[in-house]
Amino acid sequence: MTRDKTSDESAADRRGFMTKLLAVVCGGLATLPPVLAGVWMFLDPLRRRGAAATFLPVTDLASVPDDGIPRQFAVVADRVDAWTGFAAEPIGAVYLRREKGSDTVEALSATCPHAGCFVEMESQERCFRCPCHNSKFTLDGGMVAPSPSPRAMDGLECQVAKNGEIAVKWQNFYTGIAEKVARP
Amino acid sequence: MKPQHQHDQKQMPQRPVGSLGVLGQLADFLDDRTGYRALMHEALYERVPGGARWRYVWGSTLVFAFMTQVITGLVLWSSYSASAQTAWESVYYIQHEMTGGWLLRGIHHVMAQAMVVLLALHLMQVVIDGAYRAPREVNFWLGLVLMMLVLGMALTGYLLPWDQKGYWATRVATNLAGLVPLVGPSLQQIVVGGPDYGHQTVTRFFAIHAGFLPATLVLMLVVHLSLFRKHGLCAKQPITRPDAMFWPDQVLKDAVAMLAVMAVVLGVILMPAVRAMLEGRPIVPGELGAELGAPADPSQPYAAARPEWYFLFLFQFLKVFEGWGASGEFFGAIVVPGLVMTAMFLMPILGRWQLGHRFNVAFTFALLAGIGLLTAMATNEDYAALWADRSSFADVEKLLEETENDKAKIAAHFGNDVAKIAAFEVRAKKLERIRHSQSFLDAVAMAKADASRSIELAGRPERIPSAGMLELIRNDALSQGPKLFAQHCASCHAHVDPAAPEAEAVLAKASAANLHGFGTAAWMRGLLDPKQVAGPAYFGNTAHKEDDMVNFVQNDLTDADTWKPDDIEAVIAAMAAEAGLAAAGTAPAVIEKGRGLVADGDRCGSCHTFRDNGVAAGSAPDITGWGSREWLVGIIVDPTHERFYGDSNDRMPSFGKAGEGSAPILTGRQIGLIADWLRGDWYRPAGH
Ligand code: FES
């Protein structure tokens, strides 16, 4: 059995719809601020940038013998971690290496380009090896295929001052990709 | 209200009157207002078709495991302090100082692992029974989401102690998250809490671990359970036995299963205690339950970095894609796990066909077998050195060393015989695996040593400084000395116990004195031994090999008329006393006599300045306070100073002297640490 709606009834329907709509809108509006404020703050880290890549003094020429064997050095810098400021703290490590008779120093970041473990020197095998997934690298940081790592170890810019002081441009790179891209 | 109430009463079933005590009346009152009896009835008197069965217990044990985690987690929370400077410290306090902390943390840690196992069992049982089929599809999907939530809690929980293990494992995990297409890098930055790991990593992981994930899990669990009640148990077909009630038949089986789970968890925690008891060792509660490594340090390599065992297969999986370049990691960490999860989500749809169901079962078993296999591979790679016989590869090792791993030389060695070379390469590969495994085991041993040193230091009566544990470790001679020595001193100096089996080989490679035990009577006795003074442990490999000192020891000291054995012993005692390292019980008279001999212008004092013997500096090192901290620091700072070797210094860098415009190689603090370590001067807990 069907019958046409009286105008009264359709008015009631409209009111009913408006009520529902209003209820949803009001409720939604009330909940929105905490959710938005929450998301806003939770995404704060996206705004944060690492310290700008600068040259940091690491050691001096005398400590890097010219025998082609890399030596590991801590990179020390002032560091800010959210609310804490650290003065002169070890923030990472580099390998420095010098060829026979050469005054140029090559610097390699100790961070594995595969997934970020700490690459170690294998003096016996005369190579670098990452203890996590066994990526191997030659002493000058080159890939030893086949390797889980998508690229060679990350070289860092390196300056040797007249007085022998070695400074390295400290940078972090994205891991797991073929290109060497510095993190902002 | 009153009329309404009376109306209600009319609806209630008649209860026996008069037999009710106070408790009964209270129960009536509550039931009146809440209707809890009906609720309980609803909850407990569910029909179990075909009767209670053991195979239905997995879901209940999971709920039980989760409740255990909530209880233990909340109490852990009440003592945990989330920040990079306090996380390790507070976990240390929980584990090693609070009463029962080790037990609570142990239960939380082991139950998390039990939960993963129970999840696998629950999933298997659901798939085998086809319990994902209509109308239970949605509930199956919910179950998968719950599984991911549990795994997420396991992953985030691993970081919270902020020890080396958790720190490095999390670095790998978050770097992998960075590989997700498009949003990866942002995702990583949000989770890590910034561009670097630190306070915000800890606070975020904690909020995710103890807030976001469990809250979501509880919501999902409520829906999961109510849907489960709505559809009823998916009974094992065909039903041959009479139905039973959930309470008490199935509840009893569930409870027994929970008890068994708890017993296993406690067993795992207490096993080492039982072993210690049987072996007559003291039981240290702090060493039971969950491990606590050394505090996280981004500048300290951690070669023992591994995820928790149930994630080991994912870790190993990344090695499978060797040589795939960047796509390998993307495949291994994102694509394949994503496909596997998708396949699992599709199970209920596939399962509509009998063949599809069979496929699902086969898939689940294959998956678990694959996981098992990868886990076994990972374990085998790490621990192979424990059971492999390395000595049978001695010839390979020798040849590799002789040829310096040069392919051409190796080929020449085998007369370019291809078959022989191939056979050699296979064995070389095997040897390499054993070596890698050995370095992993060494790394684990080192991690253990670092961990126990950290714990020892944290327990000092002075407590942990406000800057945190790392500060303490970085100022600890025992932790830092060997590292600094290896880096700055070991390219010339040896540091090896002369009695050790490897001593000879180590000394042969050194080009300066062996500093093991420097400052002690034993070291001095070696120096004054005519047979040793020009040997590799002393001046043998230096420019001083033919200097006055060697000459004096070999020619003057051997003259038994001037130097009686007692005299030499007195000198030794006096010098050890200068270092402040004289053996306990050395007679003061002997030391006094020795001092006289050392100062004597016809003996040591003919070259060496000693105390107030008036010898001018420059001819030989001033040995006043020889081997003391001050003296050692002095010579490391600048051996070319006239107080030490002056112009005759042989190759030793002036570590503490700034060059023109450049900073010194080592800071004063580092030099102090080396000196302290050489002198064996570091914190030892009482009773050691
Ligand atoms: S992190 Fe270095 S090999 Fe994977």
Side-chain angles (χ1 to χ4, degrees):
Chain A
M1 190 176 90
T2 59
R3 67 188 168 88
D4 292 334
K5 282 183 181 173
T6 65
S7 60
D8 263 10
E9 272 174 308
S10 47
D13 270 1
R14 256 196 315 279
R15 252 201 322 281
F17 174 74
M18 284 309 284
T19 318
K20 285 176 199 158
L21 186 72
L22 266 175
V24 168
V25 168
C26 290
L29 277 178
T31 343
L32 219 47
V35 171
L36 284 183
V39 171
W40 198 20
M41 184 183 129
F42 199 71
L43 296 184
D44 165 89
L46 287 178
R47 242 167 25 82
R48 306 277 158 195
R49 294 276 165 270
T54 45
F55 280 93
L56 300 169
V58 171
T59 182
D60 73 355
L61 214 49
S63 305
V64 188
D66 60 343
D67 52 7
I69 306 283
R71 303 283 194 293
Q72 183 198 315
F73 293 90
V75 177
V76 176
D78 293 347
R79 183 171 75 88
V80 172
D81 175 9
W83 55 86
T84 309
F86 296 93
E89 248 226 338
I91 56 168
V94 288
Y95 288 102
L96 299 181
R97 174 176 167 278
R98 190 146 68 100
E99 291 289 2
K100 208 139 209 82
S102 158
D103 268 355
T104 39
V105 176
E106 287 164 43
L108 293 170
S109 166
T111 306
C112 181
H114 183 233
C117 286
F118 197 116
V119 179
E120 299 214 305
M121 261 269 294
E122 293 256 345
S123 36
Q124 225 182 2
E125 293 174 43
R126 303 195 113 249
C127 68
F128 285 110
R129 186 174 70 89
C130 180
C132 282
H133 312 97
N134 287 335
S135 286
K136 275 196 183 183
F137 307 94
T138 54
L139 286 188
D140 56 3
M143 286 245 272
V144 177
S147 169
S149 173
R151 62 168 191 265
M153 281 172 81
D154 296 318
L156 297 170
E157 279 177 61
C158 190
Q159 286 172 347
V160 184
K162 278 222 175 56
N163 57 26
E165 187 176 273
I166 301 174
V168 166
K169 187 168 174 189
W170 180 248
Q171 266 179 309
N172 283 310
F173 302 92
Y174 285 108
T175 57
I177 51 177
E179 317 81 57
K180 175 180 157 194
V181 182
R183 284 180 192 272
Chain B
M1 275 320 284
K2 197 138 196 203
Q4 179 68 38
H5 181 68
Q6 279 173 344
H7 173 77
D8 272 359
Q9 284 225 320
K10 267 184 222 144
Q11 304 279 317
M12 284 309 228
Q14 213 49 52
R15 279 184 229 105
V17 191
S19 65
L20 290 174
V22 183
L23 272 184
Q25 281 173 359
L26 186 69
D28 282 350
F29 171 85
L30 275 180
D31 188 39
D32 239 13
R33 307 304 193 274
T34 63
Y36 82 90
R37 284 201 177 102
L39 265 176
M40 290 283 282
H41 192 271
E42 168 91 347
L44 293 174
Y45 291 91
E46 163 90 4
R47 233 167 32 84
V48 180
R53 280 174 186 275
W54 286 109
R55 62 188 304 140
Y56 303 150
V57 302
W58 302 120
S60 305
T61 54
L62 272 168
V63 175
F64 165 71
F66 178 65
M67 288 319 296
T68 308
Q69 295 307 75
V70 172
I71 296 168
T72 51
L74 283 173
V75 182
L76 282 173
W77 185 344
S78 69
S79 288
Y80 176 71
S81 172
S83 88
Q85 266 168 327
T86 55
W88 188 92
E89 291 75 357
S90 63
V91 175
Y92 158 78
Y93 195 67
I94 293 171
Q95 177 75 22
H96 290 272
E97 302 205 4
M98 294 183 79
T99 36
W102 59 274
L103 181 61
L104 188 81
R105 186 164 167 257
I107 294 177
H108 197 71
H109 175 73
V110 180
M111 190 58 94
Q113 306 177 37
M115 219 166 156
V116 175
V117 175
L118 292 172
L119 265 177
L121 291 171
H122 188 42
L123 179 73
M124 259 190 348
Q125 177 242 325
V126 166
V127 174
I128 293 171
D129 286 355
Y132 50 64
R133 277 185 283 218
R136 297 186 176 85
E137 299 99 319
V138 176
N139 220 15
F140 178 76
W141 290 326
L142 271 174
L144 289 181
V145 174
L146 282 167
M147 177 174 88
M148 290 197 284
L149 289 171
V150 170
L151 292 178
M153 284 199 278
L155 193 76
T156 44
Y158 202 53
L159 172 84
L160 297 181
W162 199 242
D163 57 359
Q164 283 282 67
K165 190 172 63 165
Y167 175 84
W168 288 95
T170 302
R171 262 176 81 126
V172 172
T174 49
N175 276 330
L176 295 180
L179 292 176
V180 175
L182 299 176
V183 293
S186 304
L187 186 71
Q188 184 185 1
Q189 192 139 344
I190 293 169
V191 175
V192 170
D196 273 317
Y197 300 81
H199 290 319
Q200 288 278 316
T201 322
V202 187
T203 51
R204 274 169 189 255
F205 268 63
F206 186 42
I208 294 170
H209 177 79
F212 292 98
L213 294 181
T216 318
L217 191 141
V218 167
L219 281 180
M220 299 264 174
L221 191 60
V222 168
V223 184
H224 192 66
L225 290 180
S226 56
L227 280 181
F228 163 70
R229 293 314 283 264
K230 182 180 157 76
H231 299 137
L233 232 150
C234 180
K236 175 91 180 104
Q237 302 294 343
I239 293 172
T240 49
R241 294 182 300 172
D243 295 359
M245 278 301 165
F246 181 66
W247 169 262
D249 301 64
Q250 187 61 44
V251 172
L252 174 64
K253 287 200 160 58
D254 288 356
V256 170
M258 292 174 196
L259 198 60
V261 170
M262 200 62 228
V264 171
V265 168
L266 287 178
V268 171
I269 298 171
L270 295 175
M271 189 72 91
V274 174
R275 218 178 297 139
M277 217 155 69
L278 292 179
E279 289 167 12
R281 284 181 286 119
I283 298 170
V284 185
E287 286 168 10
L288 299 174
E291 254 188 320
L292 177 62
D297 186 347
S299 67
Q300 256 335 289
Y302 187 68
R306 291 292 181 270
E308 195 64 294
W309 63 265
Y310 41 80
F311 286 127
L312 213 48
F313 71 99
L314 280 173
F315 173 87
Q316 181 71 16
F317 198 49
L318 291 180
K319 293 189 197 166
V320 175
F321 295 93
E322 211 175 65
W324 281 49
S327 55
E329 205 173 338
F330 180 64
F331 238 78
I334 313 279
V335 179
V336 176
L339 285 177
V340 167
M341 275 325 288
T342 314
M344 287 171 69
F345 270 92
L346 291 179
M347 276 184 179
I349 296 172
L350 261 186
R352 289 191 195 157
W353 299 278
Q354 192 50 36
L355 200 64
H357 173 64
R358 291 220 187 98
F359 172 82
N360 286 339
V361 175
F363 179 79
T364 309
F365 274 98
L367 190 67
L368 287 174
I371 289 175
L373 186 69
L374 283 167
T375 312
M377 274 165 71
T379 319
N380 183 42
E381 275 185 36
D382 283 347
Y383 294 93
L386 285 182
W387 47 79
D389 176 17
R390 187 163 176 175
S391 59
S392 66
F393 291 91
D395 54 319
V396 182
E397 215 152 347
K398 202 165 136 238
L399 186 60
L400 282 175
E401 191 145 337
E402 279 167 12
T403 57
E404 286 188 337
N405 204 358
D406 185 328
K407 290 236 153 42
K409 282 189 196 155
I410 294 172
H413 176 89
F414 289 108
N416 289 325
D417 182 331
V418 183
K420 273 190 190 159
I421 297 172
F424 174 80
E425 264 164 15
V426 169
R427 294 189 65 215
K429 260 258 147 358
K430 278 195 189 137
L431 172 67
E432 191 185 332
R433 288 187 158 238
I434 299 174
R435 265 194 200 157
H436 290 172
S437 155
Q438 190 57 51
S439 39
F440 172 77
L441 294 174
D442 292 348
V444 170
M446 194 150 88
K448 282 230 171 78
D450 283 347
S452 56
R453 180 60 179 166
S454 308
I455 285 153
E456 207 166 78
L457 285 172
R460 295 177 326 152
E462 298 88 341
R463 315 306 314 185
I464 299 168
S466 58
M469 192 57 206
L470 218 45
E471 176 80 5
L472 198 53
I473 293 173
R474 287 181 177 155
N475 284 309
D476 174 39
L478 181 58
S479 316
Q480 302 308 317
K483 289 169 190 146
L484 289 165
F485 187 88
Q487 204 169 6
H488 299 282
C489 320
S491 52
C492 301
H493 287 285
H495 188 278
V496 60
D497 183 349
E502 74 275 12
E504 204 175 321
V506 176
L507 289 176
K509 284 193 197 133
S511 61
N514 178 13
L515 297 181
H516 183 272
F518 187 80
T520 61
W523 195 91
M524 202 21 104
R525 196 169 289 120
L527 177 73
L528 300 183
D529 177 354
K531 286 197 279 299
Q532 290 192 49
V533 66
Y538 293 92
F539 291 121
N541 296 331
T542 73
H544 306 294
K545 188 160 93 184
E546 286 160 4
D547 278 1
D548 294 344
M549 182 69 190
V550 173
N551 200 351
F552 170 79
V553 172
Q554 290 181 335
N555 299 321
D556 297 31
L557 271 188
T558 44
D559 175 2
D561 290 338
T562 13
W563 285 99
K564 305 197 177 49
D566 273 2
D567 295 342
I568 298 179
E569 276 307 313
V571 168
I572 290 169
M575 293 314 288
E578 286 303 292
L581 295 173
T586 315
V590 175
I591 294 175
E592 223 23 77
K593 174 183 168 196
R595 283 193 182 134
L597 293 168
V598 175
D600 186 345
D602 289 331
R603 300 174 186 252
C604 312
S606 65
C607 303
H608 289 288
T609 314
F610 183 71
R611 303 206 161 197
D612 46 8
N613 70 352
V615 174
S619 55
D622 178 345
I623 49 176
T624 313
W626 170 85
S628 65
R629 184 178 203 271
E630 191 273 334
W631 192 91
L632 261 172
V633 168
I635 194 166
I636 300 173
V637 166
D638 186 11
T640 67
H641 190 279
E642 64 171 15
R643 178 182 165 196
F644 302 103
Y645 283 108
D647 295 341
S648 59
N649 175 48
D650 176 22
R651 290 167 294 169
M652 175 155 163
S654 302
F655 286 100
K657 208 171 77 172
E660 320 107 52
S662 77
I665 303 173
L666 292 173
T667 62
R669 201 191 62 172
Q670 289 174 312
I671 295 175
L673 286 169
I674 296 175
D676 287 339
W677 178 65
L678 287 175
R679 293 168 37 77
D681 188 6
W682 54 73
Y683 168 75
R684 290 174 176 83
H688 280 63

